[in-house]
Amino acid sequence: MNKTAFELQPRLLALIRRGVDTPTTDAEFNELALEVFAFQSTHNPIYRAYCENLRTTVRHWKEIPAVPTSAFKEFEIACFPASEAVAEFHTSGTTTDKPGRHFFKTLELYEAAILPNFAAHLLPDGVRLPMIILTPSLAEAPHSSLTHMMEVVALEFGARCVYQMPETLPADQPVFLLGTAFAFVHLFEDCESQGRKYSLPTGSRAMETGGFKGRTRAVAKPDLYAMFQRYLGIPTERVVNEYGMTELSTQFYDATLRLGRRSDVKTVPPWARVLVVNPVTGKECALHEPGLIRVLDLANLWSAMCLQTEDVGVAVENGFEIRGRAAGASVRGCSLTAEELRSR
């Protein structure tokens, strides 16, 4: 690490380890965000060229140029040589779609950001439960950020862990199921075809991570959550959706378990910010006005802190809600193409 990163990373780790219940003021977040931006716009060659091309003056975190997530498919978005990465996560993509790649100089910030946020939203009662994880193991999918995340939470919080649904489960032991929405759909289809239903004990819960991208079948969220009740005996107020992506280091969760009731509002931890922007003007949308989700993630120190997604959402009083995908959408003033960089 160079000197600037040595100075920034411990400060970011200290902020993350304060937990999710100690908010950052706008001034505190702004100071750190501007320092991270200065570091990235100096040491990330692709991002530096992008910022120079935009000729944008940045005085506040809301003015930091956003990198479209699609750029991770075309470029090595990193503040260090990719050959020095200790981990390389790939987006799922399709057989005809080039995957995005996120390179990590160190996993310290990434793993630190997982733990307090996960504990606050999935284990607010502080219990340790057996985990049933419906994703491949780390050995089977070494380039999956989701798989790595599952490994981290299983080691930290799981009483024990298996990677497939057992035929039978103890009648008196609550369990914690984790997986993509698509994996749960497969589980429920198997239950239906085999005439099997579970009645999991009180205190059981589930986390689903979406995951319909690139698939031919999708199930609406209310229908999926009804299946948790029907086939597992887990009520909808015990199921939490996680919003994350390979290009980020931080995840976002429904506030359901924290509130004790069903909620689609994603809360934002103190080391991140989420804006909803108008794709035509690039300006921040008003509360409840649909737009594209833009994320600033301080834990993305070694790549790009400010990411423009193609997900549609709305900002609400205590966070944001996701409304779907806007495939192919681009925000004004937020494009990063090989042609633009080659022309410089």
Side-chain angles (χ1 to χ4, degrees):
M1 294 189 217
N2 66 41
K3 183 178 179 182
T4 304
F6 265 126
E7 293 169 347
L8 280 171
Q9 182 155 299
R11 292 167 60 195
L12 297 175
L13 286 168
L15 168 59
I16 291 168
R17 288 167 180 163
R18 280 168 26 186
V20 302
D21 294 319
T22 304
T24 45
T25 64
D26 187 78
E28 181 183 13
F29 185 87
N30 190 58
E31 179 181 357
L32 278 168
L34 292 182
E35 290 186 56
V36 172
F37 168 68
F39 168 70
Q40 293 181 343
S41 59
T42 300
H43 296 279
N44 185 329
I46 297 297
Y47 189 56
R48 179 173 66 247
Y50 178 47
C51 293
E52 290 172 352
N53 188 52
L54 291 176
R55 294 184 174 87
T56 301
T57 300
V58 176
R59 301 185 183 89
H60 188 266
W61 64 265
K62 290 187 178 182
E63 300 169 340
I64 292 173
V67 174
T69 53
S70 58
F72 284 75
K73 298 179 181 181
E74 301 293 333
F75 304 102
E76 295 178 351
I77 309 292
C79 298
F80 61 95
S83 60
E84 298 177 3
V86 301
E88 177 183 329
F89 296 147
H90 297 176
T91 59
S92 53
T94 65
T95 54
T96 59
D97 189 24
K98 188 177 180 181
R101 298 175 298 163
H102 191 180
F103 300 97
F104 287 80
K105 176 76 170 178
T106 167
L107 286 169
E108 194 170 5
L109 278 167
Y110 173 80
E111 294 181 351
I114 290 171
L115 298 176
N117 210 21
F118 184 92
H121 291 88
L122 278 305
L123 301 166
D125 46 0
V127 298
R128 291 182 66 88
L129 299 174
M131 289 183 174
I132 300 171
I133 299 178
L134 304 181
T135 66
S137 68
L138 193 59
E140 295 169 316
H143 294 302
S144 166
S145 59
L146 175 60
T147 294
H148 192 93
M149 173 195 161
M150 295 296 195
E151 183 86 358
V152 170
V153 300
L155 289 172
E156 182 71 19
F157 301 117
R160 58 185 182 276
C161 174
V162 296
Y163 282 86
Q164 61 183 4
M165 193 71 179
E167 291 286 330
T168 60
L169 290 166
D172 59 349
Q173 173 63 68
V175 296
F176 188 176
L177 289 92
L178 306 92
T180 64
F182 200 74
F184 280 113
V185 170
H186 274 301
L187 171 63
F188 299 147
E189 287 176 341
D190 288 344
C191 287
E192 179 68 25
S193 65
Q194 298 172 23
R196 180 190 305 149
K197 290 185 179 180
Y198 299 86
S199 182
L200 299 181
T202 301
S204 296
R205 66 206 65 189
M207 182 190 82
E208 58 90 9
T209 70
F212 291 124
K213 184 169 56 176
R215 304 293 187 175
T216 58
R217 180 173 183 230
V219 176
K221 188 174 180 180
D223 295 335
L224 176 65
Y225 281 31
M227 293 178 188
F228 279 98
Q229 176 74 68
R230 184 182 315 136
Y231 296 108
L232 299 177
I234 299 179
T236 59
E237 63 270 18
R238 305 290 294 177
V239 184
V240 173
N241 172 259
E242 179 256 5
Y243 174 67
M245 59 189 69
T246 300
E247 300 88 350
L248 290 173
S249 298
T250 294
Q251 300 80 39
F252 304 88
Y253 300 95
D254 292 345
T256 296
L257 286 179
R258 300 199 85 194
L259 297 174
R261 57 177 172 78
R262 175 79 248 139
S263 173
D264 291 325
V265 175
K266 298 285 187 297
T267 57
V268 182
W271 57 91
R273 292 290 189 271
V274 171
L275 296 174
V276 176
V277 300
N278 184 304
V280 176
T281 66
K283 302 296 184 183
E284 183 178 4
C285 294
L287 287 178
H288 307 289
E289 178 187 355
L292 295 181
I293 294 171
R294 179 175 297 177
V295 180
L296 288 95
D297 181 5
L298 293 179
N300 258 19
L301 173 64
W302 288 101
S303 53
M305 166 185 53
C306 187
L307 295 187
Q308 180 59 57
T309 79
E310 294 180 350
D311 296 316
V312 177
V314 296
V316 297
E317 286 77 5
N318 297 309
F320 67 101
E321 295 181 7
I322 300 167
R323 296 293 171 84
R325 293 279 294 173
S330 63
V331 182
R332 182 177 178 182
C334 182
S335 64
L336 180 54
T337 67
E339 289 74 19
E340 286 177 333
L341 292 177
R342 291 189 188 109
S343 68
R344 292 189 57 77

